[in-house]
Every structure is written in structure tokens, then in C-alpha cells.
Amino acid sequence: MADCVVADADAAVKMTEDALAYLPDEKLDGDMAPLQLGELDLTTDEFILDEVDIHIQANLEDDLVKEALRTGVDLRHYSKQVETELQRIEQASIKDYIKESQNIALLHNQITACDSILERMEGMLSGFQSDLSSISSEIQTLQQQSVSMNVRLKNRQAVRSHLSQLVDELVVPAAMISTVLDSPVTDQEFLEQLHELNNKINFTKELSFRETLACNDIQDIVDRLKIKAVSKIREFILQKIYSFRKPMTNYQIPQNTLLKYRFFYQFLLANERTVAKEIRDEYVDTMSKIYYSYFKSYSGRLLKVQYEEVADKDDLMGVEDTAKKGFFSKPSLKSRNTIFTLGQRGALLSPAELEGPILIPHTAQRGDSRYPYESLFRSQHYALLDNGCREFLFISDFFMVTGNSGLDLFNSIMGKTLSMLLKSMSSYVADCFDSIAVFLCIHILLRYRAITTKRGLPALDRYWEAVLELLWPRFELILEMNIHSIRNTDPQKLGLLDTRPHYITRRYAEFSSAIVSINQTFPNERTHTLLAQLQVEVENFVLKMAAEFPSRRDQLIFLINNYDMMLSVLMERAADDSKEVEGFQQLLLARTQEFIEELLSPPFGGMISFVKEAEVLMERGQLERLKNDEARINQLVRGFSSSWKHSVEAMSQEVMRSFTNFKNGTSIIQGALTQLIQYYHGFHKVLNQPAFRSLGARSELINLHHLMVEVKKHKPNF
């Protein structure tokens, strides 16, 4: 507090002195006169006006000076007071210093001690700093040495690995020598050592290219081991191939054994191509003969269990059953209809039958079983499919061939067999007239081709195409022969006329439904076209046959019976939306409507013609022209009332006698009765017109509802 007061006092004194320094001495007492600036020497360096102004302005801003000037205090007196106060404060301050002198001395001693301690610590830290600098340089040196040692270690390890590998590859162990020389090739140890020997052979070849001198030390022994291994492998594989030739041998067993040792051929191919080619040629020759012998024998034995009765060129759709043959000609089929009927033959295309067990000919002969040609074809080609796929997989795996090389090797093995099968197929197809059998064979092949494609085995693709190129033209030729046979049929040579379905149309219906049902899985446009031509010829044939009947009613009955029969057979196998079904449905509907009109005409023709005539006149507004036909109308009303029940009964009986299909007959009689009610309703409508309301016969009209109830009673139950 004293320090603050002293500071304020000093500041006040200084400002006062500065202020008084600029005032003349004679003006300090009494009132202050205006400042006379004329006596100042402005040329001296002591008085610079700018500095004077700055000092004056600064002192005037002081609070004490402001207070003194404001109150008018005597500055000298005030200065003395301040000086006195400063002296008093100074004395008090000196007393305080004297009083605290011991503490000050103690503090001085403590500061001196701290300075010495800090000086020693500074020396220690300086020593530590110099030590750390030396340690850091040592660490950097050690780090550089470590990096250098690490690089040298890695280089030595790399060199050691290469050298150790080189030494290991150059060393031929005694175990390898003894195993290759003495162990059987079927031992697992022999196979393992053969892998090692193959690696050493490849390594020595690589070193010889680099002109490494060390490989000369082992070249001789490696060559001897290679020769011994090749000899033993050759003997083993040839022995397995020769075992294929033994009679009744299942060659798939030694094939599986060879697949276990497929590395043997790989070793030969890499180290002794001459021996590898010898083995491959021997295998191709052996398997080619085996497959050829097997399929030739199997095909011949299959033909012995074929049906004895087969179709010939006279067994066509349009040939009459009463046709006579020459004295020396063979007897025809017991029933030509069998070659146009699918029956159970189509079951052959089901997956279970398609990939079922093949036929065993001698077993079938002992059981006196006989089969159609398509069953023999299926069995033969399923055996070919099974053996061909297995053989292709074997040669691709064992002989390590792919793509065209694999196909060429397969063809060299199976080519002779496939040519024999194609030749046999060609000779059969040339004399075949069973179109369903040929078509079934086509679809069997199409399904087998799909199977091989799914398995990713293209080996038999060429054969499938070759057989199809034989079968398709033959099928189309037989179909065209049937079309021509129907086109050239003479209705007058077909025996007695009968309104029941004709056997030729039944043949067509069975045949067309069979082809359509088979063709659904793999549609063929050419087949659809030929079937459409056949349908046109059959429709023309039916019309020609109907024209032989003298009455239109018999013609319609014949047409309806044949259309209905063909439609029923087609709908059993073909889809409801097929062209054949839709075509015959339209024909049947048109002929049925015409027959209904023909059926109603004898008993109700007068009423029907009157109703039609009246409806035309009603549309023209000329119904008055029939006013004079009162007698005719009365006769029609009374005649219908008296005879309609008997007429309906007679119609029902006639329909029952005329149509073989009871369901069709029921629909026809129902349609006839419905049409009758519609005509009678029209008759009512005409007589209710104003022109006929005065007729007395109107009261004899039968109530329409009553007529409908009575007609239902006469509905036939087929």
C-alpha cells in the first residue's frame, strides 16, 4: 500500500515540477499572469515547441493536475505536502525493511542455495545429453549392421534353397532304384517313385539345356531307370489290352483298372512316344474289333426276335381289305389296321422304357417272345449310346485327348462299327413300309441325341445325323405312298356300302393320332405338312364314299359316323387345339346340323317351311299374304298335335339305329328336339300376330312349356 502511495506521490511531484518549469519565478506568488512567450529563446535546442506541447498536454490530462487546477490549490504548498508525505512513507518503508531484514537475508541464502543446486543439475543434464548423443550414434551403427547382416542371411538362404533343391534333384535315392527295378507296377510305391523319376527326368532335361555339368553325373542312371520303367509299364498295359480279347470278358473292368494307372500313359507320352503310340494303336485295334464283333453279333441276334409279319408295299392305308394277291406272293398281315395303330408301342418313348435294360436275344428266344422293330432299334442304340459314351470318357481321360483329337480317336475305334450299323440300317429302311416304326425310331434317336448333348458328349452326333438322314426321307416316302393310295382309291371296289365308319377312315384316325401324339415333343413342320395333305385326301375320300349312297340322309349318316369316329380317336391322343381336331369338329358340326334338318323334314316339314316362309314375310311386313292359308294352318296345328309324340319316338329309334356312337346319337337327338321346340316356338309367334288371332285353330296349339316337359320324357337314354 505504501508502495502505491509513494508511486502516486512521485508521479504527482514530477508532474508538478514539469508544470512549474514552464512558469516565471515572479509569477508564482499571487494571481498567475498570462504566459509571456516573448522572452523564450526559440533558437536553442532545449526548447522545441512540439515537445513542449506534448508535455503540457500530457500533464494537463492527469487527474491530480486537473483537481489542482480546478480547486485553485497552491502548487508549491501542495508540493511540499507531497514531499513531506514521501519522506514519511520512506521512513516507514525503511523501518519495514529493517524489521524484515532477517527474512530477507534468509531468502537470499535460499536463493543462493537453489542457484547452486540448479547449476549442478544443469551440469548433470548436459552430461546426459552428451551421453544420449553418443548412444544414438551407436544405435544407428547397430541398425546398419543388422540390415546388412539380414541381407546377407537372405542371400545365403536363397542360395541354400536353390542348392539344396538342385542337390535333391540330382540325387537318385536307392529306394527309387530298388522300387523301379523290383516292385510290381501295381504297387502304390511304384507309382509314387515313378512320379519322382518323371520329375528327375524333366529336371535333368532342363539342366542339360543350361549346360549344367552336374547333370552328367546322374544322366546315365536316370536313363536306365526310365528304360526299365517304360518296359514294365508297356508290358502291364499291353497285358490289360490283350485281356479284352478273351471271350465273354467284361472289358469295362480292365478299363477301370487302367484308369487307376492313367499316369503310366502320361509317363510314356512324355518320355517314350514310340511306346505310347504302340499302346494307343494296339488299344484302338483291339477295341475296334471288339465293338464291331459285339454289335454285329448283337444286331443279328436281335433280328431273330422280330415279328415275323411285317408291313410291305401293299400294306397301305388306301388298300382294301378284300384285295387279292398272287399265288406266289406271301400272305398279308392278319390285320392291316395294326400297322396304323400306335397302341402300346408309344410307351417306348417314356424315360423308363427309353433308358431301360437292353433286350437279351437268347432269353427272348427261349421265352418265344417277339418284338416290333422299334423295340429292337431302341435296344441296339441304347447299347451303342451306353458303350459310346463310356468309351469316349475313357479315351478322353486315359489318353488325355480333347476336342477334335478326342473325336478322331473315338472315330478310329468306333468308326467301323458305326459304318456297319449304318449299312444294316440302310438295308432295313429300304424295305420298310411301317411308317409308325420309322417315326418311333426317329424320335428314339432325337431323345438319345438330347441325352448325349445334356451329358456334353459329342462323340455320336455325326452318327445320329447320319441315321436321321436315312429315316426322315423314308418316313416321308411312306407317308406320301399312303396319301397316293387314298387318293387313288376307287369307292366301288371297296365292297358293300355301309353307313358305319369305314375301315380306311379308322386307319387314318389311328395313324394320324399316333403321329400327332409322337410329334408333340419334337415338332417337325414337314410332318405337319404331310399330315395336312393326308387329311385333305381322307376328307375327299369320305365325300367320295358318301356320294355312293343314293339318299342324302344316308350320306349324312355316313359322314357323321366317320367324322365322329375320327374325332374321337384323335382326341384320345392329340391335343384339343390341334389342327386335325379343329378341322373335324367343324365338319362334324356342319353335317350334324344338316342331318337334324333332314331328320325333322318328313314329320314336321310342313310346319318348318311355313315358319320359315312366315318369318321372311314378317320381316318384309307382308304377313297379310298368308291370311288365305287358314286351311293349311289348321291342318298343320291339328297334324302336329296328333302326331308329334309318335314322330319324336320314330326319330329317336332311327337315330339309335343309324349311329354307332351312342354319345353322338344322344347329342343328335337332343339337338333335333331342341330345334323342333324352336320351330314350334316360331310357329306360336307367327300365329300370335294380329292377322291370325281370329283363327279357331289357335286354341288347339300345344302349350310350349307343356311341349318341353313332354319332349324331355322322350329323351333317349343311351
Side-chain angles (χ1 to χ4, degrees):
M1 184 68 182
D3 294 339
C4 294
V5 173
V6 171
D8 292 340
D10 290 340
V13 170
K14 187 177 185 306
M15 288 186 292
T16 304
E17 289 177 352
D18 291 339
L20 292 176
Y22 296 100
L23 297 176
D25 293 340
E26 62 270 21
K27 296 297 179 179
L28 294 177
D29 295 331
D31 296 332
M32 290 187 298
L35 183 63
Q36 298 294 322
L37 298 177
E39 298 178 359
L40 295 176
D41 187 3
L42 300 177
T43 62
T44 65
D45 294 334
E46 296 178 358
F47 295 96
I48 300 174
L49 293 178
D50 293 337
E51 293 181 358
V52 171
D53 291 338
I54 292 172
H55 284 289
I56 293 174
Q57 186 66 29
N59 289 328
L60 289 177
E61 293 294 329
D62 187 83
D63 292 336
L64 294 175
V65 175
K66 287 181 179 181
E67 182 65 22
L69 294 175
R70 185 178 61 81
T71 57
V73 176
D74 188 355
L75 296 179
R76 290 186 177 184
H77 179 71
Y78 184 73
S79 174
K80 290 180 179 181
Q81 288 181 351
V82 170
E83 185 177 359
T84 304
E85 184 67 23
L86 287 174
Q87 291 177 357
R88 187 186 62 77
I89 294 171
E90 182 181 2
Q91 293 296 325
S93 176
I94 292 171
K95 291 179 181 180
D96 290 337
Y97 280 116
I98 294 171
K99 183 178 179 180
E100 298 294 332
S101 61
Q102 294 181 354
N103 293 333
I104 292 171
L106 179 62
L107 178 62
H108 176 73
N109 294 333
Q110 290 177 349
I111 291 172
T112 303
C114 287
D115 287 342
S116 63
I117 292 171
L118 290 174
E119 185 177 359
R120 289 198 303 273
M121 290 183 66
E122 182 180 5
M124 292 175 62
L125 291 175
S126 298
F128 287 157
Q129 184 176 7
S130 63
D131 292 341
L132 287 175
S133 298
S134 62
I135 291 172
S136 175
S137 63
E138 290 178 1
I139 289 174
Q140 290 179 355
T141 303
L142 291 175
Q143 184 177 9
Q144 292 174 356
Q145 293 176 356
S146 176
V147 170
S148 177
M149 292 175 67
N150 189 29
V151 171
R152 290 198 299 271
L153 177 61
K154 288 183 178 180
N155 292 336
R156 289 179 181 180
Q157 288 178 344
V159 172
R160 181 180 179 181
S161 65
H162 287 295
L163 286 177
S164 62
Q165 182 180 359
L166 177 63
V167 172
D168 291 340
E169 294 293 343
L170 288 174
V171 173
V172 180
M176 177 185 293
I177 298 173
S178 61
T179 301
V180 173
L181 294 178
D182 302 329
S183 297
V185 296
T186 54
D187 286 356
Q188 182 64 27
E189 187 178 359
F190 179 87
L191 186 60
E192 294 174 356
Q193 293 299 332
L194 189 66
H195 279 278
E196 292 297 327
L197 177 60
N198 189 56
N199 292 334
K200 290 187 181 298
I201 293 172
N202 294 332
F203 189 72
T204 55
K205 289 179 180 178
E206 183 181 352
L207 290 180
S208 64
F209 291 145
R210 298 178 184 175
E211 298 181 355
T212 304
L213 297 177
C215 72
N216 296 330
D217 298 336
I218 64 168
Q219 187 68 49
D220 183 60
I221 189 170
V222 168
D223 290 341
R224 291 182 181 182
L225 288 176
K226 180 182 73 171
I227 293 171
K228 184 62 177 178
V230 168
S231 176
K232 294 177 71 173
I233 291 172
R234 174 183 177 276
E235 182 180 356
F236 170 75
I237 297 179
L238 288 178
Q239 182 182 0
K240 290 297 179 183
I241 293 175
Y242 293 152
S243 67
F244 296 169
R245 302 176 181 180
K246 295 179 181 180
M248 306 300 293
T249 299
N250 185 359
Y251 59 86
Q252 295 175 1
I253 295 175
Q255 274 186 340
N256 293 334
T257 304
L258 287 176
L259 285 177
K260 291 171 58 178
Y261 303 102
R262 61 174 64 87
F263 181 72
F264 287 174
Y265 185 79
Q266 182 179 349
F267 181 83
L268 294 177
L269 196 62
N271 300 289
E272 197 63 47
R273 287 186 172 272
T274 305
V275 177
K277 184 177 185 303
E278 177 191 1
I279 289 176
R280 176 169 166 171
D281 293 343
E282 192 65 32
Y283 178 83
V284 169
D285 182 66
T286 299
M287 293 307 298
S288 177
K289 292 178 180 178
I290 289 174
Y291 282 124
Y292 181 81
S293 175
Y294 169 73
F295 278 100
K296 183 177 182 181
S297 174
Y298 184 66
S299 300
R301 285 182 286 138
L302 278 178
L303 292 177
K304 294 180 180 180
V305 295
Q306 184 182 1
Y307 281 133
E308 295 180 358
E309 294 183 350
V310 294
D312 57 21
K313 62 181 180 178
D314 294 320
D315 293 314
L316 298 174
M317 196 177 297
V319 176
E320 61 274 14
D321 280 340
T322 58
K324 303 281 186 178
K325 289 194 176 183
F327 180 77
F328 295 101
S329 61
K330 62 181 181 179
S332 63
L333 292 174
K334 294 180 180 178
S335 176
R336 284 193 179 86
N337 291 333
T338 57
I339 66 173
F340 302 108
T341 304
L342 184 61
Q344 297 300 318
R345 299 167 73 181
L348 200 64
L349 298 177
S350 64
E353 289 288 336
L354 199 66
E355 300 183 48
I358 63 174
L359 297 177
I360 310 299
H362 61 270
T363 304
Q365 284 179 323
R366 283 202 301 266
D368 199 23
S369 300
R370 292 293 183 267
Y371 300 93
Y373 180 77
E374 63 268 12
S375 295
L376 310 182
F377 181 88
R378 196 274 325 167
S379 182
Q380 181 188 58
H381 283 80
Y382 186 64
L384 177 64
L385 170 70
D386 185 49
N387 286 276
C389 291
R390 183 184 294 272
E391 185 64 29
F392 184 77
L393 291 174
F394 173 80
I395 62 176
S396 298
D397 196 359
F398 186 78
F399 292 106
M400 298 178 296
V401 290
T402 57
N404 292 329
S405 299
L407 294 177
D408 292 340
L409 182 58
F410 178 83
N411 290 330
S412 63
I413 295 172
M414 299 291 294
K416 189 176 179 181
T417 301
L418 297 179
S419 297
M420 180 269 296
L421 293 175
L422 279 174
K423 184 177 180 181
S424 175
M425 181 67 57
S426 178
S427 62
Y428 168 77
V429 168
D431 295 328
C432 178
F433 293 90
D434 188 350
S435 53
I436 290 182
V438 175
F439 201 60
L440 284 171
C441 292
I442 289 173
H443 278 265
I444 289 171
L445 279 190
L446 292 175
R447 284 161 173 79
Y448 282 160
R449 185 174 66 178
I451 291 174
T452 55
T453 302
K454 184 178 180 180
R455 295 178 181 177
L457 301 173
L460 292 170
D461 287 352
R462 293 182 182 176
Y463 175 76
W464 301 141
E465 294 299 330
V467 177
L468 289 173
E469 288 177 2
L470 285 176
L471 295 177
W472 274 117
R474 187 62 187 179
F475 172 73
E476 294 174 0
L477 176 62
I478 299 172
L479 204 52
E480 289 173 355
M481 292 173 64
N482 281 286
I483 292 173
H484 289 301
S485 69
I486 294 178
R487 183 184 301 158
N488 299 329
T489 299
D490 186 358
Q492 296 181 356
K493 296 181 180 180
L494 297 180
L496 297 176
L497 293 176
D498 193 346
T499 58
R500 290 175 297 181
H502 199 274
Y503 58 84
I504 290 181
T505 58
R506 180 170 291 279
R507 290 176 187 172
Y508 162 77
E510 295 286 351
F511 176 79
S512 181
S513 63
I515 299 301
V516 169
S517 62
I518 296 172
N519 200 46
Q520 288 176 351
T521 307
F522 294 93
N524 180 267
E525 290 301 324
R526 175 62 177 164
T527 303
H528 285 304
T529 303
L530 291 173
L531 284 179
Q533 294 178 11
L534 182 62
Q535 181 180 352
V536 170
E537 295 301 331
V538 170
E539 291 175 2
N540 293 335
F541 165 76
V542 172
L543 293 176
K544 286 194 296 183
M545 286 296 300
E548 296 294 318
F549 291 92
S551 66
R552 182 57 182 170
R553 179 174 296 191
D554 290 340
Q555 293 177 1
L556 292 173
I557 293 173
F558 177 80
L559 292 173
I560 292 173
N561 276 330
N562 281 275
Y563 291 153
D564 177 65
M565 181 274 298
M566 290 188 286
L567 186 61
S568 300
V569 174
L570 284 170
M571 292 183 68
E572 289 179 4
R573 296 185 181 273
D576 293 342
D577 58 348
S578 64
K579 295 180 181 179
E580 292 80 7
V581 171
E582 292 179 354
F584 285 116
Q585 281 178 338
Q586 295 175 1
L587 291 173
L588 178 62
L589 180 62
R591 298 290 81 78
T592 300
Q593 291 296 327
E594 185 179 355
F595 177 76
I596 288 174
E597 295 293 335
E598 190 73 22
L599 185 66
L600 294 175
S601 181
F604 308 107
M607 181 189 69
I608 293 172
S609 60
F610 175 79
V611 169
K612 291 180 178 179
E613 182 182 356
E615 288 177 348
V616 173
L617 293 175
M618 284 174 61
E619 291 178 359
R620 298 176 181 176
Q622 301 175 358
L623 195 59
E624 297 292 336
R625 294 173 56 181
L626 295 177
K627 235 180 175 185
N628 299 325
D629 291 344
E630 182 177 351
R632 176 187 174 190
I633 295 172
N634 291 335
Q635 182 181 359
L636 291 175
V637 171
R638 295 188 180 102
F640 182 85
S641 301
S642 62
S643 63
W644 75 268
K645 291 183 179 180
H646 175 72
S647 299
V648 168
E649 185 67 28
M651 285 193 306
S652 299
Q653 293 179 1
E654 183 178 356
V655 170
M656 291 175 62
R657 290 191 304 267
S658 300
F659 299 101
T660 55
N661 185 351
F662 290 163
K663 183 178 180 180
N664 184 43
T666 302
S667 64
I668 290 175
I669 193 62
Q670 287 179 348
L673 295 177
T674 302
Q675 190 67 28
L676 175 62
I677 291 173
Q678 290 179 354
Y679 279 132
Y680 198 68
H681 178 263
F683 191 52
H684 266 264
K685 186 177 179 181
V686 171
L687 295 184
N688 284 332
Q689 297 300 315
F692 302 107
R693 287 180 182 175
S694 60
L695 292 177
R698 289 183 69 253
S699 60
E700 300 180 22
L701 287 171
I702 300 175
N703 183 271
L704 194 60
H705 179 70
H706 176 70
L707 178 63
M708 293 173 64
V709 173
E710 291 296 325
V711 164
K712 287 183 179 180
K713 294 180 181 179
H714 288 80
K715 179 181 176 181
N717 295 319
F718 290 95

